[in-house]
Amino acid sequence: MSDQVDVDQRRMHLVAVGLNHRSAPVEVRERLAFGPARLGAALHELRDRPPIAEVAILSTCNRAEIYTAATDAGLGEREVVRFLSEFHELDPAAVEPHLYHLADDGVARHLFRVAAGLDSMILGEGQILAQVKGALQAANEAGTARTLLHELFQRGLHLGKLARSETEIHRGAVSISSAAVDLARTVFGDLRGRQALVVGAGEMSEQTLKHLVDQGVASVVVANRTHQRAVELATRYQGEAITFDDFPAHLVTCDIIISSSAAPHPILTVEKLRGPLAARRGQPLFIVDIAVPRDVEPAVADLEDVYLFDIDDLSTVAQRYRSEREREVTKVEALVEAETARFGAWLEARGSTSLVVELRERVEAMRDAELDRWLRRLPDLEAAEQEVIRQMMRSFANKLLHGPLTAIRRQAGTPRESAQADLVRRLFDLDGGEEEA
Amino acid sequence: MTPVCVAAETVALLAYLAAAVLYPQRLIRPDSRLTRHAHWGLVIGASLQGLGLLAHLGHAGSEALFGQYANASFVFVLLCVGGLLWLEARTERPALGAFLAPVIFLVVLLTLFEAHTQAPVIRNPWFVAHIVLTLLAYACFGAAFCLAAAYLVHDGYLKRKRVERLALLPPLRVADRACHTAVAIGLPLFTLGLAVGAAFLVSVRAPIDAKVVLALVTWLLYAAYLALRLGRGWRGRRLHWILVVAFLVVLLNLVAARHRLELPPPAVAVVSR
């Protein structure tokens, strides 16, 4: 039997060591991140360090977590910390204060919370689910995730999907820019084919524009006092750059206006909009004013078929969605606890299954060895006679094992399971201390 | 009327009433569990009303099929309920019924005031075609009214920044396009229904009454809506107010239908077999 199988058949512990956006600042997180280019090497290197048998690494901009299955939890934990500092060439003393250590149920609970989005910077965000899937995929490709981690991650992915289908943890926009896009969708539904006018090429404008383009906005026109910046932004989003003075000419044709100029007074007034609105004949106009001081005269909000939202409105929307998500946390925590309990039960059952397999293989190996030895001494036996003897030995071994195997299965998941497993191991010498010569 | 028929129609009316009360509550208290079941009021109401009518037909015979206003109203209600449930499922917006459920309740209530009163038995195929086409058109106009009202309420929510309620109703552009589709289907049916009805009136030399005038006003309003939208490119609030007003005229016309047609005595006897 190979070493790998021997390791698998012993009692395994889940161990996780990591850091996230709560435990470590970005300067530390970026130094401990595992880029795609080095991930495979890291997985192999850590898997080759006893007592670690399985490894998966979840590395995102907000976390770097190492999940392992090891035959000794304490040793495994120390080995992971040593690996982290060696692999990233960092002083262990500098890393250690930012790390959290988890074992067994704690590992499962943590991964399930991560997959459900409870541990994310933006509560309930969906990107983490793809990242968990990616971590499992990388470990599978490297061959470092076997039964235990595979089961753990699969259950994590299942729970992540369940949390998002059974609760509202992922609903609603929680950033200013995504809130603006959400509101635009309540006016236009599908944003494909819509035209956006961006006045002012600031960072917030770009974020909002990026969300709009992701939603399929067809054309983008950018106006800025510094024309070069308008050109740069327009180029990034395959749009058209115009001079700042030309933007009123586009008020008739655009559907969405994002305004964030640094003008000290409103640049979009009721007076300026009257003509374009008459020409629009009731076509809805959605205006997002994220400038401070405001770019759009507040009275514009009273114009028919114009929907104006300023930075405070968008903040209120985002905050409201955040509060709604927080109300869902209790429901998701309940799902996490239920899944953790199920995983714990699976782990216990797997322990007894492993013992059953181990015991059966031990007895069968002894049986086959004895059969071969004795049959070599009886070379004159016919094939049919040899088969009868083999059949008799198989039947004898099965009858001998029936009692112990039934007892092991019956005790699975009970408080006596561990003591009984130790007894069986000693009785049948499963740990190989008194291996026959 | 048999007791079974009366019982079924009474319970149906109560179910419609429940829907008419609960549906608007969806707009006010979207989280309420009770309001999530408002559509069942319409389903139960329509089922029981249908059973009541079947029981009555079984008792009174096929003559009752053509001669009662209740039957025409039921077909209208059935088309409205079916259309509404389809629209809600299609748009995934559960509060559209807030506008149509009260209308359905009122129509059923008005029908019950004159339940199973015998109208002139007119089996002229032109007249039957007129009724069928007009009812189909009215159902389309009902859907357009529902969506136009949703547009106006949604517009109000956006203006007042009641963003927590925006998910209850379809986006403005979606509602606008659906309104247009409903009218684009309904108006040709209505036009055809009017033409057939006019041919029938001429054939029996009936005078022009209030119902005919209201039908023409209805036609003009929906035609104006389409002309403004397609010809002048109009969109927005004002256009949707036209649809609300037009459907109020449709309802007025349905009330007018309760009054018997002032047909000369020979016309009532016109029976085409």
Side-chain angles (χ1 to χ4, degrees):
Chain A
M1 232 180 282
S2 70
D3 288 349
Q4 201 59 59
V5 176
D6 282 341
V7 164
D8 199 34
Q9 285 177 353
R10 268 177 254 145
R11 171 74 175 158
M12 285 290 190
H13 294 275
L14 282 171
V15 174
V17 175
L19 75 172
N20 64 14
H21 56 97
R22 288 197 194 88
S23 72
V26 66
E27 309 86 69
V28 178
R29 295 205 304 273
E30 65 191 6
R31 294 175 75 185
L32 284 166
F34 293 88
R38 297 182 72 201
L39 185 60
L43 288 165
H44 283 123
E45 191 179 319
L46 185 54
R47 202 271 315 273
D48 293 341
R49 294 180 176 217
I52 288 160
E54 296 184 44
V55 189
I57 296 175
L58 177 60
S59 182
T60 72
C61 55
N62 284 328
R63 68 188 64 246
E65 291 172 342
I66 297 180
Y67 294 84
T68 68
T71 47
D72 185 305
L75 274 179
E77 197 178 296
R78 283 193 289 279
E79 199 52 51
V80 174
V81 176
R82 192 177 304 129
F83 162 80
L84 265 174
S85 56
E86 286 174 12
F87 189 82
H88 293 290
E89 296 171 355
L90 294 168
D91 177 10
V95 175
E96 184 64 46
H98 301 289
L99 297 177
Y100 41 80
H101 307 251
L102 303 157
D104 294 325
D105 279 4
V107 177
R109 185 175 292 107
H110 179 74
L111 181 69
F112 297 162
R113 293 186 85 253
V114 168
L118 291 179
D119 203 48
S120 296
M121 192 180 270
I122 295 170
L123 191 65
E125 57 95 8
Q127 206 182 354
I128 188 66
L129 205 54
Q131 289 162 336
V132 170
K133 195 175 179 182
L136 175 62
Q137 206 171 341
N140 280 336
E141 280 166 14
T144 59
R146 300 179 66 233
T147 320
L148 204 54
L149 285 190
H150 191 82
E151 183 71 19
L152 176 72
F153 273 70
Q154 284 295 356
R155 282 174 186 259
L157 290 169
H158 168 73
L159 182 95
K161 286 176 196 159
L162 192 71
R164 287 166 180 85
S165 62
E166 298 283 307
T167 73
E168 306 281 307
I169 192 77
H170 63 303
R171 292 250 184 258
V174 287
S175 68
I176 301 285
S177 48
S178 57
V181 174
D182 246 27
L183 286 169
R185 293 185 62 179
T186 68
V187 176
F188 301 106
D190 191 349
L191 295 185
R192 278 178 293 186
R194 301 298 98 209
Q195 191 170 333
L197 168 65
V198 180
V199 184
E203 191 187 333
M204 192 74 98
S205 290
E206 180 164 2
Q207 278 178 24
T208 312
L209 184 59
K210 182 181 180 309
H211 276 94
L212 287 171
V213 171
D214 286 347
Q215 292 290 322
V217 162
S219 69
V220 175
V221 177
V222 184
N224 195 53
R225 285 196 194 278
T226 313
H227 188 62
Q228 185 52 35
R229 288 191 66 186
V231 171
E232 285 166 14
L233 185 59
T235 308
R236 279 200 288 280
Y237 295 95
Q238 286 87 45
E240 178 196 351
I242 57 168
T243 62
F244 190 81
D245 294 335
D246 283 345
F247 89 81
H250 291 264
L251 294 174
V252 178
T253 51
C254 71
D255 302 296
I256 300 163
I257 300 174
I258 305 161
S259 194
S260 73
S261 83
H265 49 76
I267 56 169
L268 208 51
T269 59
V270 171
E271 208 51 48
K272 217 175 244 179
L273 271 168
R274 274 197 206 288
L277 285 179
R280 293 176 67 87
R281 297 180 179 181
Q283 294 274 7
L285 179 62
F286 180 72
I287 305 175
V288 179
D289 181 5
I290 40 185
V292 180
R294 284 179 288 182
D295 276 348
V296 185
E297 190 180 41
V300 165
D302 299 329
L303 294 172
E304 205 167 287
D305 304 311
V306 174
Y307 307 99
L308 169 65
F309 289 85
D310 63 27
I311 188 104
D312 282 355
D313 298 328
L314 297 174
S315 299
T316 309
V317 171
Q319 182 52 47
R320 198 182 65 78
Y321 283 132
R322 278 198 286 271
S323 307
E324 276 179 13
R325 286 188 181 199
E326 275 155 21
R327 281 203 293 274
E328 295 296 290
V329 167
T330 320
K331 289 183 201 166
V332 181
E333 291 283 13
L335 292 176
V336 167
E337 281 311 312
E339 193 57 44
T340 305
R342 277 195 291 274
F343 182 73
W346 176 84
L347 213 53
E348 287 296 329
R350 185 184 173 276
S352 62
T353 307
S354 168
L355 185 61
V356 165
V357 171
E358 210 174 338
L359 180 57
R360 185 180 284 282
E361 284 183 354
R362 173 78 173 161
V363 171
E364 285 175 356
M366 285 166 67
R367 179 199 67 195
D368 292 345
E370 288 304 301
L371 260 174
D372 288 347
R373 194 155 67 92
W374 286 100
L375 287 178
R376 272 201 302 273
R377 292 186 184 182
L378 300 166
D380 298 334
L381 284 181
E382 296 288 328
E385 291 167 332
Q386 284 190 16
E387 187 51 37
V388 169
I389 293 172
R390 285 184 194 282
Q391 189 66 43
M392 182 189 74
M393 287 299 284
R394 273 199 289 271
S395 172
F396 173 73
N398 286 344
K399 282 193 164 54
L400 183 73
L401 280 172
H402 179 73
L405 293 183
T406 307
I408 291 168
R409 288 193 182 109
R410 202 171 286 152
Q411 295 295 331
T414 67
R416 293 184 57 201
E417 184 192 13
S418 178
Q420 192 191 46
D422 285 344
L423 180 66
V424 171
R425 285 184 176 282
R426 281 205 306 276
L427 284 175
F428 288 89
D429 189 26
L430 292 185
D431 293 328
E434 295 164 28
E435 191 69 36
E436 220 175 288
Chain B
M1 277 176 75
T2 63
V4 176
C5 188
V6 173
E9 291 195 351
T10 308
V11 180
L13 186 68
L14 290 175
Y16 285 130
L17 175 64
V21 172
L22 288 177
Y23 254 119
Q25 290 287 315
R26 276 188 177 174
L27 292 174
I28 301 160
R29 287 164 42 199
D31 293 333
S32 164
R33 276 190 178 183
L34 191 62
T35 63
R36 286 180 201 168
H37 302 291
H39 61 283
W40 285 111
L42 295 180
V43 173
I44 293 168
S47 307
L48 286 173
Q49 196 186 0
L51 282 175
L53 281 178
L54 281 176
H56 180 70
L57 288 176
H59 179 73
S62 63
E63 283 298 301
L65 188 63
F66 291 94
Q68 294 184 346
Y69 298 118
N71 300 341
S73 292
F74 174 64
V75 173
F76 171 73
V77 166
L78 204 60
L79 288 170
C80 283
V81 170
L84 174 67
L85 296 179
W86 178 80
L87 261 180
E88 284 193 347
R90 181 81 194 266
T91 59
E92 292 182 2
R93 293 298 192 271
L96 283 174
F99 313 105
L100 205 52
V103 171
I104 290 171
F105 169 70
L106 280 176
V107 169
V108 176
L109 190 67
L110 284 171
T111 308
L112 281 190
F113 275 125
E114 297 184 51
H116 308 297
T117 48
Q118 196 66 31
V121 179
I122 304 167
R123 284 192 177 176
N124 184 303
W126 291 106
F127 184 75
V128 174
H130 162 72
I131 294 293
V132 170
L133 287 167
T134 310
L135 286 176
L136 284 170
Y138 282 178
C140 291
F141 295 156
F145 161 76
C146 186
L147 289 156
Y151 184 103
L152 294 168
V153 171
H154 198 158
D155 171 89
Y157 285 162
L158 277 164
K159 287 282 189 195
R160 294 195 303 277
K161 291 162 185 153
R162 303 293 300 269
V163 290
E164 73 279 6
R165 295 182 181 178
L166 294 177
L168 296 167
L169 297 168
L172 294 183
R173 192 159 162 270
V174 172
D176 172 66
R177 290 169 71 175
C179 278
H180 171 239
T181 307
V183 177
I185 296 169
L187 190 61
L189 288 171
F190 191 57
T191 309
L192 209 57
L194 282 189
V196 171
F200 168 72
L201 285 182
V202 170
S203 72
V204 298
R205 291 187 297 279
I208 292 175
D209 60 5
K211 187 169 158 36
V212 176
V213 174
L214 284 173
L216 288 173
V217 172
T218 305
W219 188 90
L220 280 174
L221 284 168
Y222 283 108
Y225 164 85
L226 277 188
L228 287 169
R229 196 179 190 282
L230 297 174
R232 305 287 308 274
W234 271 34
R235 299 287 189 280
R237 280 176 62 83
R238 288 180 197 186
L239 200 63
H240 292 88
W241 273 116
I242 295 178
L243 293 181
V244 172
V245 172
F247 192 68
L248 291 178
V249 179
V250 168
L251 290 179
L252 209 61
N253 214 349
L254 279 173
V255 176
R258 306 276 165 262
H259 303 287
R260 296 178 183 207
L261 288 169
E262 291 170 10
L263 300 175
V268 178
V270 173
V271 174
S272 169
R273 296 195 185 264

